[in-house]
Amino acid sequence: MCPPAETNGTNGHVNGTVNGTNGNHEGYSAIQTNQNPHPHSSSPYRPVGDFLSNVSRFKIIESTLREGEQFANAYFDLEAKMKIAQALDDFGVDYIELTSPAASEQSRLDCEAICRLKNEKFKTAKILTHVRCHMDDARIAVETGVDGVDVVIGTSSYLREHSHGKDMTYIKNTAIEVIEFVKSKGLEIRFSSEDSFRSDLVDLLSIYSAVDKIGVNRVGIADTVGCASPRQVYDLVRTLRGVVHCDIETHFHNDSGCAIANAYCALEAGATHIDTSVLGIGERNGITPLGGLMARMIVADRDYVLSKYNVKKLKEIEDMVADYVEVNIPFNNYITGFCAFTHKAGIHAKAILNNPSTYEIINPADFGMSRYVHFASRLTGWNAIKSRADQLDLQMTDAQIKLCTAKIKALADVRKIAIDDTDSIIRAFYHNLHSQEERPLLEGLSAEEVKKFQIAEEKEKAELTGTKEKRQLEEQVEAEAEVPATKKTRTAAVA
Ligand SMILES: CC(=O)SCCNC(=O)CCNC(=O)[C@H](O)C(C)(C)COP(=O)(O)OP(=O)(O)OC[C@H]1O[C@@H](n2cnc3c(N)ncnc32)[C@H](O)[C@@H]1OP(=O)(O)O
Ligand SMILES: O=C(O)CCC(=O)C(=O)O
């Protein structure tokens, strides 16, 4: 169950300012809310403790420089790799996985250079490289300076038949040879079965059990084709947890949209490590994204995530990688997407202004991001306009704000309006309340738009309040205005 709203803390937002932007927010405004009550460490609805679960002690194996290099658009030269690796260490990931040094001479040199960078500059991350389950690859890998080697071989019938052509006996014998060799060099070693979810369960458990017995550091489960569902993941990891003593790493492709949910379920079932890549880049449509995993995990255990990971760096890393691989960050990206903390409909805006936990489960400030309220549309309500008028330092009564809102909504029915339009209307409306001189609510409308506006305004107000109530509202506004009674606010023209 999700944690409920609480009411302590302040959000640190300042009216009209943005402390980290989620892109260009035309028509939106960073807002001040009464509280920013996101912390939920004392929530009675936190997940029930489970002795198997590693939700509160997971580790990240960041594979942007391995799986991510397999993304169709990726080309990382050494400088790019160094910058990404350094940023990931600054973020606090536990491991950085690099492309096999057997892939090419430059891959080998890059691997060595990043190991040197790690020795000189890294605070946290260890370096791994990812190789085939083959002695030739293992021999090259151990000479690069890495902390550990991730070994992989396909175990499904598809891969045994069409990729490497080896049977389970050969796989087991080679795995043992490679593992013992890497261990003899004093390095960490992980053994993983590619395409685990289409492999025979008995084959899997048998090989995992064999490598566990000879002291592998981790075994890996890989949903190579993205076919697994969270429940299947839970079942397999839980079963494996009962068979091996070593750590369990998991790797989820996102072909059917379950990569984050699968990672979470794996942790619940006892997995210890999750593979990620920045923005999820990888083969086809990629794997569990680092940002998406952070979104999921901060909801599950905020204290753990904030104590371990420098999540304010997320946007910077995503921007960097997006730039290198020449993609845009999707509008709905977890946490850093243009809309991740943007609230539009009046009902949402009102509640958010009172307490952000009403419609936000994640505190944008944790990630150095801002929340936005949209107040330039036909879905805008008077509470949002009141907040905007306050930001503009224009004090009006509630009745005046409501009438002003009706005009904004009427205009939004005529054409798409922008934040500047809304601000102009609020300013002109305010001016007209306090001055004999009538100012048009909005300059530059065509005659046709003016006509449409007038019709829309009438309909809008009639629908909003009923004709009688509308009249009462106007009378109230007139009474409250500091101008002579003869001044009719409702005569304000838009052009
Ligand atoms: C699911 C994953 O993402 S696994 C990681 C994928 N990573 C990579 O592929 C790294 C980049 N790859 C490369 O640079 C190249 O594929 C290399 C250097 C590894 C191999 O190149 P080549 O020798 O030219 O072989 P090619 O790529 O055509 O075919 C793959 C070879 O690896 C073998 N192979 C595939 N998987 C494995 C494995 N897990 N363990 C051992 N051998 C394997 C195949 O049998 C095949 O060998 P063969 O054609 O000589 O019988
Ligand atoms: O090594 C692993 O565990 C995962 C390899 C991989 O990229 C995959 O199977 O999709």
Side-chain angles (χ1 to χ4, degrees):
M1 191 180 294
C2 293
E6 290 177 16
T7 51
N8 57 330
T10 57
N11 80 348
H13 285 298
V14 178
N15 262 354
T17 65
V18 286
N19 58 344
T21 65
N22 326 7
N24 175 20
H25 274 68
E26 210 178 300
Y28 300 74
S29 166
I31 55 160
Q32 184 175 40
T33 50
N34 293 341
Q35 309 116 2
N36 195 356
H38 280 284
H40 36 72
S41 53
S42 63
S43 164
Y45 299 108
R46 291 187 78 193
V48 177
D50 177 343
F51 75 99
L52 278 179
S53 174
N54 285 320
V55 160
S56 295
R57 47 177 178 259
F58 67 94
K59 290 188 175 161
I60 294 175
I61 296 183
E62 224 301 326
S63 191
T64 302
L65 295 178
R66 195 283 290 178
E67 177 74 53
E69 202 179 6
Q70 296 172 225
F71 170 52
N73 252 21
Y75 177 79
F76 300 134
D77 60 16
L78 178 58
E79 190 192 340
K81 288 183 183 180
M82 303 270 260
K83 285 198 172 139
I84 293 169
Q86 185 62 62
L88 290 170
D89 180 60
D90 293 344
F91 185 90
V93 302
D94 304 271
Y95 291 89
I96 294 173
E97 187 180 63
L98 305 179
T99 292
S100 169
S104 72
E105 178 58 5
Q106 192 58 49
S107 301
R108 191 182 67 78
L109 294 172
D110 291 353
C111 186
E112 288 180 350
I114 291 171
C115 290
R116 285 194 296 275
L117 176 72
K118 177 231 149 187
N119 291 337
E120 285 162 25
K121 300 239 175 91
F122 282 12
K123 290 189 283 290
T124 316
K126 290 186 185 174
I127 304 293
L128 304 168
T129 189
H130 185 261
V131 298
R132 294 176 296 181
C133 187
H134 195 291
M135 281 302 288
D136 291 350
D137 287 12
R139 282 194 196 93
I140 300 171
V142 298
E143 296 303 323
T144 54
V146 291
D147 297 291
V149 180
D150 283 350
V151 168
V152 68
I153 188 156
T155 47
S156 68
S157 57
Y158 291 101
L159 298 180
R160 280 192 280 136
E161 197 174 328
H162 302 292
S163 174
H164 52 69
K166 306 291 190 289
D167 62 21
M168 285 309 293
T169 309
Y170 176 92
I171 292 174
K172 195 185 285 186
N173 291 339
T174 314
I176 290 172
E177 187 187 9
V178 169
I179 291 164
E180 290 191 323
F181 170 70
V182 175
K183 269 167 63 76
S184 74
K185 300 289 177 183
L187 302 183
E188 275 190 35
I189 173 78
R190 181 222 64 178
F191 172 84
S192 181
S193 63
E194 197 185 336
D195 206 7
S196 314
F197 288 88
R198 295 191 301 173
S199 300
D200 180 81
L201 182 61
V202 175
D203 285 347
L204 278 186
L205 297 180
S206 148
I207 191 154
Y208 286 137
S209 169
V211 297
D212 185 44
K213 282 201 181 81
I214 60 161
V216 79
N217 295 88
R218 292 185 305 285
V219 288
I221 290 181
D223 182 16
T224 306
V225 295
C227 63
S229 69
R231 189 167 172 162
Q232 288 170 322
V233 168
Y234 190 90
D235 284 350
L236 180 56
V237 176
R238 194 182 169 130
T239 304
L240 180 59
R241 187 64 289 169
V243 171
V244 297
H245 297 92
C246 62
D247 284 343
I248 300 175
E249 175 179 340
T250 51
H251 180 96
F252 297 108
H253 275 268
N254 205 26
D255 302 68
S256 60
C258 290
I260 299 170
N262 283 346
Y264 187 75
C265 266
L267 292 174
E268 286 190 309
T272 50
H273 294 67
I274 302 293
D275 290 4
T276 65
S277 68
V278 176
L279 297 170
I281 59 171
E283 290 282 350
R284 307 183 306 283
N285 71 346
I287 62 165
T288 308
L290 178 65
L293 185 71
M294 288 296 99
R296 179 60 237 154
M297 301 318 295
I298 203 164
V299 170
D301 192 334
R302 180 171 177 270
D303 292 345
Y304 179 75
V305 168
L306 294 185
S307 70
K308 192 145 182 262
Y309 300 110
N310 187 0
V311 296
K312 287 198 168 70
K313 289 254 164 206
L314 181 65
K315 175 140 176 42
E316 192 184 312
I317 297 176
E318 288 189 346
D319 285 346
M320 181 196 295
V321 171
D323 223 34
Y324 281 130
V325 301
E326 296 175 355
V327 295
N328 292 320
I329 295 187
F331 75 93
N332 59 350
N333 197 39
Y334 315 93
I335 296 159
T336 62
F338 164 68
C339 293
F341 299 105
T342 295
H343 308 273
K344 180 170 170 182
I347 293 169
H348 289 239
K350 182 203 166 158
I352 278 284
L353 288 161
N354 282 331
N355 180 337
S357 284
T358 48
Y359 285 105
E360 275 174 5
I361 196 63
I362 294 168
N363 185 354
D366 284 346
F367 292 86
M369 307 302 294
S370 295
R371 77 174 55 85
Y372 295 85
V373 168
H374 188 295
F375 52 82
S377 87
R378 55 169 67 132
L379 307 185
T380 300
W382 76 273
N383 287 280
I385 297 303
K386 185 173 168 56
S387 158
R388 183 58 178 170
D390 287 348
Q391 286 183 335
L392 298 174
D393 209 17
L394 302 174
Q395 302 312 315
M396 289 188 263
T397 67
D398 288 356
Q400 290 165 346
I401 292 280
K402 282 177 184 169
L403 199 54
C404 180
T405 305
K407 289 176 189 299
I408 290 165
K409 288 170 84 77
L411 189 69
D413 265 352
V414 172
R415 67 162 164 82
K416 189 174 181 194
I417 59 172
I419 184 170
D420 287 349
D421 297 328
T422 306
D423 284 354
S424 299
I425 297 171
I426 297 172
R427 286 185 206 282
F429 185 90
Y430 180 84
H431 168 91
N432 292 342
L433 286 177
H434 300 280
S435 163
Q436 290 286 0
E437 171 224 353
E438 196 71 26
R439 202 190 269 176
L441 284 183
L442 201 57
E443 309 278 359
L445 290 182
S446 66
E448 197 187 339
E449 283 175 333
V450 172
K451 204 166 152 205
K452 276 191 191 162
F453 171 79
Q454 282 162 348
I455 296 166
E457 192 191 18
E458 284 312 310
K459 276 199 191 139
E460 181 68 48
K461 282 192 291 188
E463 269 166 29
L464 262 182
T465 58
T467 313
K468 193 167 151 227
E469 287 88 332
K470 179 197 93 181
R471 182 68 206 131
Q472 281 167 353
L473 193 58
E474 284 175 345
E475 280 167 5
Q476 197 183 338
V477 169
E478 282 161 17
E480 286 163 351
E482 296 160 9
V483 290
T486 49
K487 179 92 175 55
K488 300 274 193 254
T489 54
R490 69 180 179 283
T491 59
V494 290

